[in-house]
Amino acid sequence: MALKIVKGSIDRMFDKNLQDLVRGIRNHKEDEAKYISTCIDEIKQELKQDNIAVKANAVCKLTYLQMLGYDVSWAAFNIVEVMSSSKFTYKRIGYLAASQCFHEGTDVIMLTTNQIRKDLSSPNQYDTGVALTGLSCFVTPDLARDLANDIMTLMSHTKPYIRKKAVLIMYKVFLKYPESLRPAFPRLKEKLEDPDPGVQSAAVNVICELARRNPKNYLSLAPLFFKLMTSSTNNWVLIKIIKLFGALTPLEPRLGKKLIEPLTNLIHSTSAMSLLYECVNTVIAVLISLSSGMPNHSASIQLCVQKLRILIEDSDQNLKYLGLLAMSKILKTHPKSVQSHKDLILQCLDDKDESIRLRALDLLYGMVSKKNLMEIVKKLMLHVDKAEGTTYRDELLTKIIDICSQSNYQYITNFEWYISILVELTRLEGTRHGHLIASQMLDVAIRVKAIRAFAVAQMATLLDNAHLLTGNTQRNGICEVLYAAAWICGEFAEHLEDPMLTLEAMLRPKVATLPGHIQAVYVQNAAKLFATVLQKHEGETDSQAAQETSQLLIDRLPLFVQSANLEVQERASCILQLVKYIQKLQQKNVEVAEEVTALFAGELNPVAPKAQKKVPIPEGLDLDAWINEPPSESESEDEKPKAVFAKEEPKHSRSRHTEVDEKELARRREARKQEQANNPFYIKASPSSQKVYDAPGVEHIPVVQIDLSVPLKVPGMPMSDQYVKLEEERRQKEKADKKKKEKKKKREKRGKGRKGDSGPESEEDITPAHHVDIVTEEMPENALPSDDDDKDPNDPHKALDIDLDKPLADSEKLPVRTHRPEVLKSPAEDRDDNTIPQETKKKSSKDKKEKKKDKEKDRKRSKEDKKKKKKHKDVEEELPESLPEEVVQSEETKEVAVPPTSADASDLDFWLSSAPVPPVAQVVTVSSSAAAATVDSSSAAAAESEPEELKDTEPDDTKSSKHKKKKQKKEKEEKEKKKKKRHHHHHHHHSDAGAEDSVQNGTVEDEEPLPPMSNYSLLAENSYIKMMKEDADQVCDIQGNHQDESKVVVSVIFENKSDSFLKSMEFNVLDSLNSKLQRPDGAGPHDGLTVPFQLPPGVSNEARFVFSVQSIVMPQKLKGTLTFIVKTDESSTHEKLDFKLHFTCTSYLITTPCYSDAYAKLLESGDLKGSSLRLEGVNMPFHHLLARICFHHHFSVVERIDSCASMYSRSIQGHHVCLLVKSSDQTVSIDAKCDEPSLLGNVLDEIKQTFSKC
Amino acid sequence: MIKAILIFNNHGKPRLSKFYEHYTEDTEQQIIRETFHLVSKRDENVCNFLEGGLLIGGSDNKLIYRHYATLYFVFCVDSSESELGILDLIQVFVETLDKCFENVCELDLIFHMDKVHNILAEMVMGGMVLETNMSEIITQAEAQSKMEKSEAGIAGAPARAVSAVKNMNLPEMPKNINIGDISIKVPNLPSFK
C-alpha cells in the first residue's frame, strides 16, 4: 500500500508539469501541433488516474493549451473534479480552468452548485475567494438563482477580502438573475459606507455599473454619492462616482447645478489627470443637461475648454487624445466655445498619431459653420492628397461628405462648390467609397433643384472622361460615381448643352467593362437622352440629326444586348427594338418626340428612408386578414391580386397611349391629384415641400442661370478653389450691402431694440449664393415620431430596469434552502408578518396592535441585552429577504446615519432644492410670464411647487392600516424615549409614498396634482407696473456670524403692464433698526438700488434683493419705493410706486430635510418649548394640507403616517421648528415645538392665516 | 467593465488571455490576432488608446494598452472605465508582477501563466476592478502561495527537486528580457491611488 503511494508520487515526478509542457512546445517549433496532440493524449491518460494531484497537473496544462486556442471543453468534468478537491492548491487550479473555459452552455456546470456553495461557506477565506473569482466568470442564471442568497450573506462577512469580492460578484448575479436585485439592493447600498475602502469601492463599482444602464432608478442615491464624492479620497472611487453623476444629470438638471461647484473645485485642486479629466467630462454632461440657456455657466464652459486645451496641447499623446474626445462632447451644445480653438484642432489633423487625427476629424464635424465650411474642407482636401494609407484617406473622404451633408446640407451656401468637391473626390485612386460620393451626387441633384444644370454639366464631363476613372481595373470602387453621373445626365437631360455628345459618351464600347448595374443605368439613361435629342430636333425641317441619333443607338446597343448581365441585356434589347420602331416612324416623317418623351415623364421625389415603415396602420385595418374570402381551390392564385388593382392601374401608370392629347393629360392629372388627395395610402409630399411641387410641370422648375463668366475648369487649380474665391467675394459684397442697409435702418428706427449687429458676421448673415430649396424627404403625413428602431431588445441590462425604492414583496425573496431552521425563529417571523405587503393586511387593527406590542417588546428586550441583540443581528443578516426594515435595524448599531430608503425621494428633493441656484423651471416660467398676472403667478407656482408635490402623493387606501399601526408605534416609541432617555432610532416609514416619489422625481407625472400654489404675493401695483414678491428662502450666512445677523433674499417680479418702455428702475426701502437692504459698498444708507434691467411693454422680469436681518423672531414691515421712468414715443415721465415689504417669520425659515432619527433626538432633548394650534373647517386632502405647509412655510415632512405627520424646518439663525400635524374631520391640530417661543407663535399665526385664506 | 485582458509578445504569441465574456476558442484566437495586428503597427510614441476592435464588443469599446519591452498588455474596456485609470491599472499590474516575480521577464510569464492569472484575479474580478492597491494585492497573492507551499509540504519536496534539476539543465533560460530594468515611466501621470 505504502509502496503504491511512493510509486505514485515517483511516477508523478516524471509527469510533465506545466513548465515541461511549455518548454516542450518551445522546443518543437516545427511540429508544434503534433507535439501538442501527443501532450493532449498524455493529459487524457493522466486524467484517468485516481490521484488528484495528477489530475490537477493535467488540468493546469489544459488551461495553458486553452490559451493557445485548443478546445478543452471535453475535460469539463475533470475540471469539476479538481475544483472539488479539498486542497486549496488544486481547487485553485480547478477554478482557474473553469473560469477560462466554462460558459452557459457547459452542462457539467449544474454539478458545481453544491461544491461552490460549500466553498463559499468555507472557513478558509481563500477557498471562498477563489470560488467567488471563478464564479464571477462562469455564473449562469441557474447558479445565480441558487447561490444569490449565499453570496448576499457573504456581503456581510467579517473579512473585507470576502466582502469586496461578494459585493462585486453581485453585479454578475443581477445580470443573470434580475429578480435578486431588489432583495439585495439594500445591503448593497449599505456597503457604500463600509469602513473598508476596498469594499466601498466595490460597491460603488457595482452601483455605477447598474446605474449606467438604468440611471433613473438610482437617482435617489444621488445625495449619498454626493456625500461620498465630497468625502472620499480614493481616486478610483471618485472617478466612478463622477462618471455616475455624468449619467444621472441628464435626468435631473437640479443635480447638475448642485454638482458644478464641487466639481469645479476638484478640477482646480486635483493633481491626478485621470480625475481631472473625468471631472471635466461630468461638468460637460451637466452643462449639456442645463443647456437650455443658463448663461451664467459660461464660466464653467470656459474652464472646461481651457483645461481641455491644456490637455490637447500636452506632449503626452494620451492626454491629447482624451482632450479631443471630451472636446467633441462640448461641441454638441456649445459649439461656439470650441470653435475658437479651431487652430488647435486643425493642428491635430497633422499629428502623426492616427487615433488623434481621427478624433480631430470628429471635432471638425461639429465645428463647421456656413462661414468656415469651405476653408475647412479645403484643408481636408489637402490632407486627402497627402494621406498615405488608404484607410485614413477613406476616413477623410467620408468625413468630408459627412461634414458637408450634415443636417440637410445646412452649412453649404454654394452647391456648385460642393458638386465640384465631389467631382474632385472622384479622382481619388482606389477608394472604397465611390458609392458614397455617388449617392451624394444623386441626393444633391435631386433635392437641390437649382443646381441641376450645373450638376448635369459636371456629370457630362465626368462621363466624357470616364476612362480616367475606370482607368486600370474594375475593382476600382470609384466607378460607382458613373452610375450617378449617368442617371443625373439622363434624368435631367433637359439641362444638357449637348445631349448628343453625352449620349455618344455613354455608348462607348469601353462601357461594357463596367459592372452590370452601372451598364444597366447607362442603357436606360441613354434612352432618356435619346428622347431629349428627339425633342430638341423636333420641328426642324431637316431631320438629319434625329435620325443620326437613332442610328447611333441602333449601332451601339447590340453590344449591350449581348451582355451577360440579365438586367443590361433586357433593357438593351427593349430599347433597341423601340429605337428601331422609332427609326421606321422617323423615316415616314412622323413626329414621335412627344411620345418618346412621355416614356420618361414625371419626376421622382425623394422619400425618407423610413417613410414606408412609418405609415401608420389606419384603425380597423388588419393587414393579416383576408380582403376577400380565401380563394377557392379552383381559382388560380395570381388572378386575385390583379382583380384588386386592375381598376387603378391605368390611372397610375405612366400613360403609354400615344393618342392622348394635352387636354386629356391635364384632365387626368387633375383626376389623379384628386384621387391622391382622397387616398389615405398615398404618400403625400410634406407641407414644406408641397409648394415646390405645386409647380404644374417639370418645365417650370426654376433654373438658376449660371454665371458663365466662370470657366468650368481653371487650368492648374482645383475647381473648388475657384468657387471658394468667388464665394468670398460674393460674401464681402453682400456684407457691404448689408452694412449700408443696416445703417439706413438704424437711422430710420433708432432705439427700437438693443440687438446690435456688432461683432463678426454671424451665421445667419451669410445667405446662400442663390436660392436653394432643399427638398425634404417625404414622410407619410401622420408618421409616428418614435424612433425606437435602434434599441436592442436583447440587451441583458434591460431586465435590470427595476424600481429599487418600492418595498419588497414576499414573492421577491431570494430562494433559500430550507434546512436552516434557526433562521426563521420568532423575531424574524414576527417581522415577516409585519411587513407583508399591505394589500394582504386586512386584519383587525386590534390584532395588529397586539402584535406590534409584541414586536416592541421584542425589540426592547433585544436592546437591553446587547449580546442577544448581536445574535439577532446575525440572524437578520442571514435572513434571505433582507427587508428594508431590517436594514434600518442593522443600521442602528452603526455610528453613521445612513439615509434610509424611505426618505430618499423627498431627501433628494430637499437636497436638490437647497441648491444655490433656483430650479430652471422656475426661472423659465418667471421670465415667460408676460401673460396675465394671475396666470403668471400660478404657473410660476406650479413650477415651484413641483418638489412639494412630489413629496406627498395620495397614499393608497390599502396602506392606511399600516400607517395607523406605525403611528401607534411611533407614539409609543416617543413615550418610551422620554421615559428612558435612551438612544432610540425609530423606523422611518418606508411607505409606498416614499417609493413612488423617486419614480416621479422630475419624470413621471403626479397622479393627483395639487392645486397650484404660489409664494409670490402682490406687493404693489399701479397702472404702469406690478410688483410681486417672494421671500426666497435662500440664505447665506455672513462669515459664520450666523447668530446675530442673517440675510434674506427677496425676489421681486416686475411686470410692465403699460404700453410704454420702463427704464431706470430704482428700488429703495427705508431701513429699520432690525432689517437693512444690502447696498453695494460706498452707497449711502438711503440710496436706492438700480434694478438691473429695463422692461419693454408686457414683459416681466425678476430681480433679487438681499436684506440683512438681525432678529428674526418677529415679523417686520419695511416701507419702500420704486421709482422708474416711463418712456413713450413722445415723452418720458418719472413715476413712482410705494410698497410695503412684509417679512413674515416664515420667510426666515429654510426648508431643511431632517431624518426621523435626528428629529426624534431633537424632540427628546427637551430644549424646545411647545405651543399648539387648532384649525377648524379645513376642507382639503391631508397631503394638500401638508404640501401647503411645506410650500408656504418652508417645512419638510419628516414622517407621515396616515393623517398625521411630523414636519421640520430651521430658521436662518438655526432655530429648530418642529410640527406635529394631525387631521380628522376637517379639524387640524398642530402641535409645535421650537427653541424660540415668539418665533413659533408668529409662525403658527402665519400658518393659521394661510389656511384661513382658503 | 473590462471585457478582456490580453498579454502577448512582440510577435503576437499570447502569454495570457482573460476574457470576461464567453467566446469560442477560435474567436478568442482571432481577437488576439486582430488586437495584435492593431496594436503592433502603432508607433512607440503615439497614444495608448485605440478604437476599432471589430471582434470584441461594439463601438462602446476601446483598447487601452501599454508596451513593455517584449510584451504588450492590452485591456479591452467599455466606456464606463476611465481611460487614464486603466492605464494606471496596467502599470500597477506590471509593477505587481515585477514584485512577485522579482524582476519579471517574459519567460516568467511564459512558464508561470497560472501564477499571473492568480495575481490578476486579485486585481480584476469578473471584469470589474477589485483592488488597485499594490501592497494589498501582493499581500493576498503571497498569502495564497504560502498556503500552497504549506499544502505541498513534504510530499511536494521530491517534485520540487525534480523540477529544480530540470531547470538546471536549461541552457535556454536567458534572463535578459527584463522588463523591470526598462524604466517603466508613466508619462505625466501623477501617482494615482
Side-chain angles (χ1 to χ4, degrees), chain A residues 823-854:
Chain A
V823 171
L824 292 170
K825 276 287 156 63
S826 59
E829 209 164 24
D830 206 28
R831 205 165 297 120
D832 248 350
D833 261 4
N834 280 325
T835 42
I836 279 173
Q838 295 82 351
E839 303 91 85
T840 57
K841 283 234 137 189
K842 294 245 162 103
K843 292 176 192 170
S844 80
S845 62
K846 204 178 162 192
D847 201 343
K848 266 175 251 155
K849 216 191 257 173
E850 273 172 19
K851 231 183 199 159
K852 200 78 224 171
K853 271 183 194 157
D854 277 352

Side-chain angles (χ1 to χ4, degrees), chain A residues 696-738:
Chain A
V698 192
E699 42 304 327
H700 295 279
I701 291 170
V703 177
V704 167
Q705 293 301 317
I706 292 177
D707 189 357
L708 284 176
S709 64
V710 184
L712 286 182
K713 275 189 177 174
V714 181
M717 192 181 197
M719 252 189 340
S720 57
D721 285 358
Q722 198 59 31
Y723 288 100
V724 174
K725 273 195 176 165
L726 278 172
E727 177 73 11
E728 265 165 23
E729 280 164 23
R730 186 183 69 81
R731 277 184 198 173
Q732 288 218 321
K733 202 174 145 229
E734 219 163 63
K735 216 171 155 186
D737 284 355
K738 215 173 195 175

Side-chain angles (χ1 to χ4, degrees), chain A residues 19-20 23 67 88-89 99-100 103 124 126 161 164 172 212 236 243 271 274 318 321 353 359, chain B residues 17-18 22 29 47-48 51 78-80 111 118 122 126 129 131-132 140 147 151 166-167 190 192:
Chain A
Q19 281 74 32
D20 299 323
R23 202 170 293 130
M67 181 183 78
F88 172 72
T89 316
S99 76
Q100 292 294 88
H103 54 92
N124 180 344
Y126 291 114
Y161 178 76
K164 71 180 178 194
K172 294 277 173 168
R212 201 165 69 94
W236 269 102
K243 266 183 170 283
S271 61
S274 43
N318 292 331
Y321 172 89
D353 189 345
R359 286 271 78 86
Chain B
S17 67
K18 183 88 208 168
H22 174 70
Q29 293 304 308
C47 74
N48 300 92
E51 288 149 85
D78 69 12
S79 64
S80 74
F111 285 103
N118 294 334
E122 296 303 321
V129 179
E131 186 59 68
T132 51
Q140 301 297 354
M147 211 162 94
E151 272 182 356
K166 279 176 187 166
N167 280 345
F192 181 94

Side-chain angles (χ1 to χ4, degrees), chain A residues 89 287 425:
Chain A
T89 316
L287 293 175
L425 285 175

